[in-house]
mmCIF file of all heavy atoms in Angstrom:
data_model
loop_
_atom_site.group_PDB
_atom_site.id
_atom_site.type_symbol
_atom_site.label_atom_id
_atom_site.label_comp_id
_atom_site.label_asym_id
_atom_site.label_seq_id
_atom_site.Cartn_x
_atom_site.Cartn_y
_atom_site.Cartn_z
ATOM 1 N N TYR S 1 94.153 87.587 99.204
ATOM 2 C CA TYR S 1 95.439 88.241 99.329
ATOM 3 C C TYR S 1 95.548 89.057 100.612
ATOM 4 O O TYR S 1 96.599 89.045 101.272
ATOM 5 C CB TYR S 1 95.682 89.177 98.104
ATOM 6 C CG TYR S 1 97.069 89.776 98.132
ATOM 7 C CD1 TYR S 1 98.204 89.007 97.864
ATOM 8 C CD2 TYR S 1 97.271 91.124 98.454
ATOM 9 C CE1 TYR S 1 99.480 89.544 97.887
ATOM 10 C CE2 TYR S 1 98.554 91.654 98.491
ATOM 11 C CZ TYR S 1 99.632 90.889 98.216
ATOM 12 O OH TYR S 1 100.919 91.424 98.258
ATOM 13 N N ARG S 2 94.472 89.678 100.990
ATOM 14 C CA ARG S 2 94.470 90.427 102.264
ATOM 15 C C ARG S 2 94.762 89.480 103.438
ATOM 16 O O ARG S 2 95.522 89.816 104.333
ATOM 17 C CB ARG S 2 93.119 91.119 102.486
ATOM 18 C CG ARG S 2 93.054 92.057 103.692
ATOM 19 C CD ARG S 2 91.655 92.569 103.881
ATOM 20 N NE ARG S 2 91.219 93.347 102.748
ATOM 21 C CZ ARG S 2 91.354 94.671 102.673
ATOM 22 N NH1 ARG S 2 91.945 95.317 103.647
ATOM 23 N NH2 ARG S 2 90.897 95.315 101.592
ATOM 24 N N ARG S 3 94.182 88.301 103.387
ATOM 25 C CA ARG S 3 94.421 87.299 104.444
ATOM 26 C C ARG S 3 95.876 86.832 104.465
ATOM 27 O O ARG S 3 96.394 86.408 105.507
ATOM 28 C CB ARG S 3 93.479 86.117 104.296
ATOM 29 C CG ARG S 3 92.032 86.454 104.591
ATOM 30 C CD ARG S 3 91.170 85.184 104.698
ATOM 31 N NE ARG S 3 91.123 84.420 103.451
ATOM 32 C CZ ARG S 3 90.243 84.606 102.484
ATOM 33 N NH1 ARG S 3 89.256 85.513 102.657
ATOM 34 N NH2 ARG S 3 90.234 83.855 101.403
ATOM 35 N N SER S 4 96.551 86.882 103.319
ATOM 36 C CA SER S 4 97.934 86.434 103.255
ATOM 37 C C SER S 4 98.920 87.446 103.803
ATOM 38 O O SER S 4 100.072 87.120 104.058
ATOM 39 C CB SER S 4 98.314 86.127 101.776
ATOM 40 O OG SER S 4 98.525 87.316 101.013
ATOM 41 N N LEU S 5 98.462 88.701 104.017
ATOM 42 C CA LEU S 5 99.321 89.757 104.526
ATOM 43 C C LEU S 5 99.569 89.549 106.040
ATOM 44 O O LEU S 5 98.762 88.920 106.732
ATOM 45 C CB LEU S 5 98.729 91.128 104.275
ATOM 46 C CG LEU S 5 98.456 91.533 102.838
ATOM 47 C CD1 LEU S 5 97.762 92.882 102.802
ATOM 48 C CD2 LEU S 5 99.801 91.590 102.056
ATOM 49 N N SER S 6 100.639 90.108 106.510
ATOM 50 C CA SER S 6 100.933 90.089 107.953
ATOM 51 C C SER S 6 99.937 91.010 108.667
ATOM 52 O O SER S 6 99.344 91.919 108.021
ATOM 53 C CB SER S 6 102.344 90.543 108.212
ATOM 54 O OG SER S 6 102.486 91.938 107.931
ATOM 55 N N PRO S 7 99.764 90.870 109.982
ATOM 56 C CA PRO S 7 98.840 91.743 110.692
ATOM 57 C C PRO S 7 99.198 93.225 110.525
ATOM 58 O O PRO S 7 98.298 94.079 110.375
ATOM 59 C CB PRO S 7 98.992 91.320 112.164
ATOM 60 C CG PRO S 7 99.384 89.869 112.070
ATOM 61 C CD PRO S 7 100.245 89.761 110.850
ATOM 62 N N SER S 8 100.486 93.543 110.541
ATOM 63 C CA SER S 8 100.887 94.949 110.376
ATOM 64 C C SER S 8 100.572 95.440 108.975
ATOM 65 O O SER S 8 100.157 96.606 108.777
ATOM 66 C CB SER S 8 102.376 95.102 110.667
ATOM 67 O OG SER S 8 103.163 94.351 109.753
ATOM 68 N N GLN S 9 100.740 94.578 107.955
ATOM 69 C CA GLN S 9 100.400 94.995 106.591
ATOM 70 C C GLN S 9 98.914 95.178 106.409
ATOM 71 O O GLN S 9 98.481 96.143 105.731
ATOM 72 C CB GLN S 9 100.949 93.968 105.605
ATOM 73 C CG GLN S 9 102.440 93.921 105.452
ATOM 74 C CD GLN S 9 102.923 92.741 104.597
ATOM 75 O OE1 GLN S 9 102.325 91.650 104.655
ATOM 76 N NE2 GLN S 9 103.988 92.956 103.868
ATOM 77 N N ARG S 10 98.112 94.306 107.042
ATOM 78 C CA ARG S 10 96.675 94.458 106.933
ATOM 79 C C ARG S 10 96.228 95.767 107.626
ATOM 80 O O ARG S 10 95.350 96.491 107.108
ATOM 81 C CB ARG S 10 95.970 93.299 107.577
ATOM 82 C CG ARG S 10 95.989 92.003 106.754
ATOM 83 C CD ARG S 10 94.972 91.005 107.195
ATOM 84 N NE ARG S 10 95.194 90.502 108.534
ATOM 85 C CZ ARG S 10 95.974 89.434 108.828
ATOM 86 N NH1 ARG S 10 96.533 88.766 107.835
ATOM 87 N NH2 ARG S 10 96.104 89.031 110.065
ATOM 88 N N SER S 11 96.862 96.050 108.747
ATOM 89 C CA SER S 11 96.497 97.304 109.444
ATOM 90 C C SER S 11 96.871 98.528 108.585
ATOM 91 O O SER S 11 96.111 99.520 108.532
ATOM 92 C CB SER S 11 97.245 97.393 110.789
ATOM 93 O OG SER S 11 96.810 96.355 111.672
ATOM 94 N N GLN S 12 98.034 98.483 107.917
ATOM 95 C CA GLN S 12 98.439 99.578 107.052
ATOM 96 C C GLN S 12 97.473 99.740 105.894
ATOM 97 O O GLN S 12 97.096 100.863 105.526
ATOM 98 C CB GLN S 12 99.830 99.351 106.550
ATOM 99 C CG GLN S 12 100.362 100.518 105.708
ATOM 100 C CD GLN S 12 101.778 100.294 105.187
ATOM 101 O OE1 GLN S 12 102.502 99.413 105.655
ATOM 102 N NE2 GLN S 12 102.197 101.120 104.253
ATOM 103 N N ALA S 13 97.053 98.616 105.318
ATOM 104 C CA ALA S 13 96.113 98.661 104.200
ATOM 105 C C ALA S 13 94.792 99.289 104.650
ATOM 106 O O ALA S 13 94.202 100.113 103.906
ATOM 107 C CB ALA S 13 95.857 97.285 103.643
ATOM 108 N N ILE S 14 94.330 98.916 105.831
ATOM 109 C CA ILE S 14 93.079 99.516 106.357
ATOM 110 C C ILE S 14 93.231 101.039 106.532
ATOM 111 O O ILE S 14 92.333 101.797 106.218
ATOM 112 C CB ILE S 14 92.671 98.825 107.659
ATOM 113 C CG1 ILE S 14 92.242 97.383 107.405
ATOM 114 C CG2 ILE S 14 91.550 99.611 108.366
ATOM 115 C CD1 ILE S 14 92.048 96.575 108.649
ATOM 116 N N ARG S 15 94.377 101.442 107.073
ATOM 117 C CA ARG S 15 94.621 102.876 107.256
ATOM 118 C C ARG S 15 94.618 103.606 105.923
ATOM 119 O O ARG S 15 94.031 104.666 105.800
ATOM 120 C CB ARG S 15 95.954 103.107 107.976
ATOM 121 C CG ARG S 15 95.924 102.722 109.473
ATOM 122 C CD ARG S 15 97.138 103.330 110.177
ATOM 123 N NE ARG S 15 98.392 102.887 109.568
ATOM 124 C CZ ARG S 15 99.073 101.832 109.937
ATOM 125 N NH1 ARG S 15 98.606 101.017 110.910
ATOM 126 N NH2 ARG S 15 100.235 101.514 109.357
ATOM 127 N N GLU S 16 95.264 103.001 104.920
ATOM 128 C CA GLU S 16 95.333 103.635 103.625
ATOM 129 C C GLU S 16 93.952 103.694 102.976
ATOM 130 O O GLU S 16 93.637 104.691 102.315
ATOM 131 C CB GLU S 16 96.271 102.845 102.708
ATOM 132 C CG GLU S 16 97.763 103.013 103.088
ATOM 133 C CD GLU S 16 98.636 102.247 102.124
ATOM 134 O OE1 GLU S 16 98.868 101.080 102.350
ATOM 135 O OE2 GLU S 16 99.039 102.862 101.127
ATOM 136 N N GLU S 17 93.150 102.663 103.143
ATOM 137 C CA GLU S 17 91.778 102.673 102.609
ATOM 138 C C GLU S 17 90.991 103.837 103.234
ATOM 139 O O GLU S 17 90.210 104.497 102.564
ATOM 140 C CB GLU S 17 91.057 101.346 102.872
ATOM 141 C CG GLU S 17 91.554 100.234 101.984
ATOM 142 C CD GLU S 17 91.006 98.885 102.359
ATOM 143 O OE1 GLU S 17 90.793 98.641 103.548
ATOM 144 O OE2 GLU S 17 90.819 98.056 101.447
ATOM 145 N N GLY S 18 91.223 104.060 104.520
ATOM 146 C CA GLY S 18 90.524 105.172 105.181
ATOM 147 C C GLY S 18 91.087 106.524 104.752
ATOM 148 O O GLY S 18 90.365 107.523 104.758
ATOM 149 N N GLN S 19 92.361 106.553 104.384
ATOM 150 C CA GLN S 19 92.975 107.793 104.019
ATOM 151 C C GLN S 19 92.709 108.208 102.562
ATOM 152 O O GLN S 19 92.658 109.393 102.224
ATOM 153 C CB GLN S 19 94.515 107.684 104.188
ATOM 154 C CG GLN S 19 94.938 107.599 105.644
ATOM 155 C CD GLN S 19 96.352 107.113 105.821
ATOM 156 O OE1 GLN S 19 97.035 106.803 104.848
ATOM 157 N NE2 GLN S 19 96.808 107.005 107.054
ATOM 158 N N PHE S 20 92.524 107.194 101.710
ATOM 159 C CA PHE S 20 92.400 107.483 100.305
ATOM 160 C C PHE S 20 91.224 108.404 100.024
ATOM 161 O O PHE S 20 90.125 108.209 100.487
ATOM 162 C CB PHE S 20 92.227 106.174 99.513
ATOM 163 C CG PHE S 20 92.021 106.391 98.051
ATOM 164 C CD1 PHE S 20 93.045 106.898 97.253
ATOM 165 C CD2 PHE S 20 90.779 106.153 97.492
ATOM 166 C CE1 PHE S 20 92.808 107.139 95.914
ATOM 167 C CE2 PHE S 20 90.567 106.371 96.126
ATOM 168 C CZ PHE S 20 91.588 106.869 95.346
ATOM 169 N N GLY S 21 91.461 109.394 99.223
ATOM 170 C CA GLY S 21 90.375 110.255 98.778
ATOM 171 C C GLY S 21 90.139 111.457 99.656
ATOM 172 O O GLY S 21 89.120 112.147 99.471
ATOM 173 N N SER S 22 91.016 111.719 100.622
ATOM 174 C CA SER S 22 90.759 112.823 101.522
ATOM 175 C C SER S 22 90.630 114.189 100.836
ATOM 176 O O SER S 22 89.925 115.051 101.277
ATOM 177 C CB SER S 22 91.866 112.906 102.580
ATOM 178 O OG SER S 22 93.101 113.155 101.984
ATOM 179 N N ASP S 23 91.364 114.342 99.736
ATOM 180 C CA ASP S 23 91.340 115.625 99.033
ATOM 181 C C ASP S 23 90.447 115.607 97.804
ATOM 182 O O ASP S 23 90.503 116.504 96.966
ATOM 183 C CB ASP S 23 92.788 116.003 98.614
ATOM 184 C CG ASP S 23 93.633 116.401 99.790
ATOM 185 O OD1 ASP S 23 93.053 116.726 100.850
ATOM 186 O OD2 ASP S 23 94.860 116.355 99.669
ATOM 187 N N LEU S 24 89.612 114.553 97.660
ATOM 188 C CA LEU S 24 88.734 114.497 96.499
ATOM 189 C C LEU S 24 87.653 115.547 96.577
ATOM 190 O O LEU S 24 87.144 115.885 97.632
ATOM 191 C CB LEU S 24 88.091 113.133 96.374
ATOM 192 C CG LEU S 24 89.041 111.926 96.202
ATOM 193 C CD1 LEU S 24 88.239 110.653 96.058
ATOM 194 C CD2 LEU S 24 89.936 112.136 95.011
ATOM 195 N N THR S 25 87.328 116.072 95.410
ATOM 196 C CA THR S 25 86.261 117.099 95.310
ATOM 197 C C THR S 25 84.985 116.414 94.905
ATOM 198 O O THR S 25 84.789 116.088 93.718
ATOM 199 C CB THR S 25 86.617 118.179 94.295
ATOM 200 O OG1 THR S 25 87.900 118.740 94.659
ATOM 201 C CG2 THR S 25 85.551 119.269 94.267
ATOM 202 N N TYR S 26 84.082 116.143 95.865
ATOM 203 C CA TYR S 26 82.831 115.459 95.546
ATOM 204 C C TYR S 26 81.846 116.398 94.867
ATOM 205 O O TYR S 26 80.955 115.953 94.154
ATOM 206 C CB TYR S 26 82.217 114.892 96.818
ATOM 207 C CG TYR S 26 82.935 113.676 97.329
ATOM 208 C CD1 TYR S 26 84.043 113.804 98.132
ATOM 209 C CD2 TYR S 26 82.498 112.383 97.014
ATOM 210 C CE1 TYR S 26 84.708 112.697 98.611
ATOM 211 C CE2 TYR S 26 83.165 111.257 97.498
ATOM 212 C CZ TYR S 26 84.272 111.424 98.311
ATOM 213 O OH TYR S 26 84.951 110.312 98.755
ATOM 214 N N GLY S 27 82.060 117.692 95.086
ATOM 215 C CA GLY S 27 81.166 118.665 94.455
ATOM 216 C C GLY S 27 79.708 118.397 94.814
ATOM 217 O O GLY S 27 79.388 118.146 95.964
ATOM 218 N N ASN S 28 78.847 118.397 93.804
ATOM 219 C CA ASN S 28 77.421 118.191 94.055
ATOM 220 C C ASN S 28 76.993 116.840 93.489
ATOM 221 O O ASN S 28 75.829 116.687 93.089
ATOM 222 C CB ASN S 28 76.629 119.298 93.381
ATOM 223 C CG ASN S 28 76.911 120.666 93.991
ATOM 224 O OD1 ASN S 28 76.945 120.795 95.226
ATOM 225 N ND2 ASN S 28 77.129 121.679 93.145
ATOM 226 N N ILE S 29 77.876 115.843 93.455
ATOM 227 C CA ILE S 29 77.480 114.540 92.982
ATOM 228 C C ILE S 29 76.416 113.976 93.905
ATOM 229 O O ILE S 29 76.564 113.849 95.104
ATOM 230 C CB ILE S 29 78.696 113.570 92.959
ATOM 231 C CG1 ILE S 29 79.721 114.035 91.930
ATOM 232 C CG2 ILE S 29 78.254 112.143 92.653
ATOM 233 C CD1 ILE S 29 80.958 113.209 91.881
ATOM 234 N N PRO S 30 75.226 113.635 93.365
ATOM 235 C CA PRO S 30 74.120 113.158 94.177
ATOM 236 C C PRO S 30 74.450 111.876 94.899
ATOM 237 O O PRO S 30 75.210 111.015 94.380
ATOM 238 C CB PRO S 30 72.969 112.931 93.165
ATOM 239 C CG PRO S 30 73.366 113.703 91.935
ATOM 240 C CD PRO S 30 74.876 113.701 91.921
ATOM 241 N N GLU S 31 73.903 111.688 96.083
ATOM 242 C CA GLU S 31 74.210 110.498 96.890
ATOM 243 C C GLU S 31 73.843 109.213 96.163
ATOM 244 O O GLU S 31 74.426 108.163 96.387
ATOM 245 C CB GLU S 31 73.488 110.584 98.220
ATOM 246 C CG GLU S 31 73.995 111.669 99.150
ATOM 247 C CD GLU S 31 73.239 111.667 100.485
ATOM 248 O OE1 GLU S 31 72.439 110.763 100.711
ATOM 249 O OE2 GLU S 31 73.504 112.589 101.297
ATOM 250 N N ILE S 32 72.831 109.289 95.293
ATOM 251 C CA ILE S 32 72.386 108.070 94.625
ATOM 252 C C ILE S 32 73.467 107.493 93.733
ATOM 253 O O ILE S 32 73.517 106.276 93.513
ATOM 254 C CB ILE S 32 71.091 108.366 93.822
ATOM 255 C CG1 ILE S 32 70.425 107.051 93.371
ATOM 256 C CG2 ILE S 32 71.383 109.239 92.648
ATOM 257 C CD1 ILE S 32 69.859 106.224 94.484
ATOM 258 N N ILE S 33 74.357 108.329 93.176
ATOM 259 C CA ILE S 33 75.379 107.831 92.272
ATOM 260 C C ILE S 33 76.360 106.902 92.985
ATOM 261 O O ILE S 33 76.578 105.782 92.538
ATOM 262 C CB ILE S 33 76.082 109.000 91.570
ATOM 263 C CG1 ILE S 33 75.068 109.858 90.773
ATOM 264 C CG2 ILE S 33 77.173 108.490 90.642
ATOM 265 C CD1 ILE S 33 74.272 109.111 89.724
ATOM 266 N N PRO S 34 77.003 107.369 94.090
ATOM 267 C CA PRO S 34 77.873 106.408 94.797
ATOM 268 C C PRO S 34 77.128 105.213 95.332
ATOM 269 O O PRO S 34 77.711 104.109 95.468
ATOM 270 C CB PRO S 34 78.510 107.250 95.886
ATOM 271 C CG PRO S 34 77.709 108.473 95.998
ATOM 272 C CD PRO S 34 77.106 108.724 94.651
ATOM 273 N N ALA S 35 75.864 105.380 95.661
ATOM 274 C CA ALA S 35 75.077 104.231 96.144
ATOM 275 C C ALA S 35 74.968 103.179 95.056
ATOM 276 O O ALA S 35 75.118 101.964 95.280
ATOM 277 C CB ALA S 35 73.702 104.682 96.599
ATOM 278 N N PHE S 36 74.669 103.600 93.840
ATOM 279 C CA PHE S 36 74.615 102.705 92.701
ATOM 280 C C PHE S 36 75.973 102.068 92.431
ATOM 281 O O PHE S 36 76.096 100.859 92.222
ATOM 282 C CB PHE S 36 74.161 103.436 91.439
ATOM 283 C CG PHE S 36 72.696 103.706 91.349
ATOM 284 C CD1 PHE S 36 72.214 104.816 90.694
ATOM 285 C CD2 PHE S 36 71.782 102.821 91.905
ATOM 286 C CE1 PHE S 36 70.853 105.085 90.603
ATOM 287 C CE2 PHE S 36 70.431 103.061 91.829
ATOM 288 C CZ PHE S 36 69.952 104.178 91.158
ATOM 289 N N VAL S 37 76.984 102.921 92.378
ATOM 290 C CA VAL S 37 78.317 102.435 91.955
ATOM 291 C C VAL S 37 78.919 101.451 92.962
ATOM 292 O O VAL S 37 79.602 100.515 92.617
ATOM 293 C CB VAL S 37 79.269 103.630 91.756
ATOM 294 C CG1 VAL S 37 80.685 103.172 91.538
ATOM 295 C CG2 VAL S 37 78.785 104.454 90.574
ATOM 296 N N SER S 38 78.635 101.669 94.257
ATOM 297 C CA SER S 38 79.202 100.778 95.269
ATOM 298 C C SER S 38 78.454 99.429 95.365
ATOM 299 O O SER S 38 78.970 98.474 95.929
ATOM 300 C CB SER S 38 79.212 101.455 96.641
ATOM 301 O OG SER S 38 77.888 101.713 97.070
ATOM 302 N N PHE S 39 77.258 99.334 94.763
ATOM 303 C CA PHE S 39 76.450 98.120 94.931
ATOM 304 C C PHE S 39 77.131 96.868 94.496
ATOM 305 O O PHE S 39 77.122 95.860 95.199
ATOM 306 C CB PHE S 39 75.095 98.343 94.215
ATOM 307 C CG PHE S 39 74.240 97.142 94.240
ATOM 308 C CD1 PHE S 39 73.559 96.753 95.417
ATOM 309 C CD2 PHE S 39 74.028 96.324 93.114
ATOM 310 C CE1 PHE S 39 72.765 95.629 95.460
ATOM 311 C CE2 PHE S 39 73.240 95.214 93.151
ATOM 312 C CZ PHE S 39 72.592 94.866 94.320
ATOM 313 N N PRO S 40 77.757 96.804 93.280
ATOM 314 C CA PRO S 40 78.421 95.564 92.891
ATOM 315 C C PRO S 40 79.503 95.117 93.837
ATOM 316 O O PRO S 40 79.768 93.920 93.964
ATOM 317 C CB PRO S 40 79.017 95.916 91.506
ATOM 318 C CG PRO S 40 78.177 97.033 91.013
ATOM 319 C CD PRO S 40 77.837 97.850 92.212
ATOM 320 N N TYR S 41 80.145 96.081 94.542
ATOM 321 C CA TYR S 41 81.209 95.715 95.492
ATOM 322 C C TYR S 41 80.627 95.241 96.825
ATOM 323 O O TYR S 41 81.236 94.423 97.488
ATOM 324 C CB TYR S 41 82.115 96.927 95.698
ATOM 325 C CG TYR S 41 82.650 97.464 94.423
ATOM 326 C CD1 TYR S 41 81.947 98.421 93.694
ATOM 327 C CD2 TYR S 41 83.858 97.006 93.927
ATOM 328 C CE1 TYR S 41 82.430 98.879 92.493
ATOM 329 C CE2 TYR S 41 84.340 97.492 92.710
ATOM 330 C CZ TYR S 41 83.634 98.400 92.001
ATOM 331 O OH TYR S 41 84.078 98.878 90.793
ATOM 332 N N GLN S 42 79.452 95.736 97.146
ATOM 333 C CA GLN S 42 78.843 95.299 98.401
ATOM 334 C C GLN S 42 78.251 93.901 98.330
ATOM 335 O O GLN S 42 78.222 93.176 99.324
ATOM 336 C CB GLN S 42 77.734 96.337 98.774
ATOM 337 C CG GLN S 42 78.278 97.684 99.147
ATOM 338 C CD GLN S 42 77.165 98.727 99.299
ATOM 339 O OE1 GLN S 42 76.136 98.656 98.686
ATOM 340 N NE2 GLN S 42 77.416 99.718 100.186
#
């Protein structure tokens, strides 16, 4: 679906991916947790 988007739409999606979560409170979540969670996506 990303490939089906226009160049401008893909650029906007990339910007939004970078923007998402700016105000999230990570607190003291250990680094190992996001490392585990991101593994299936990687």
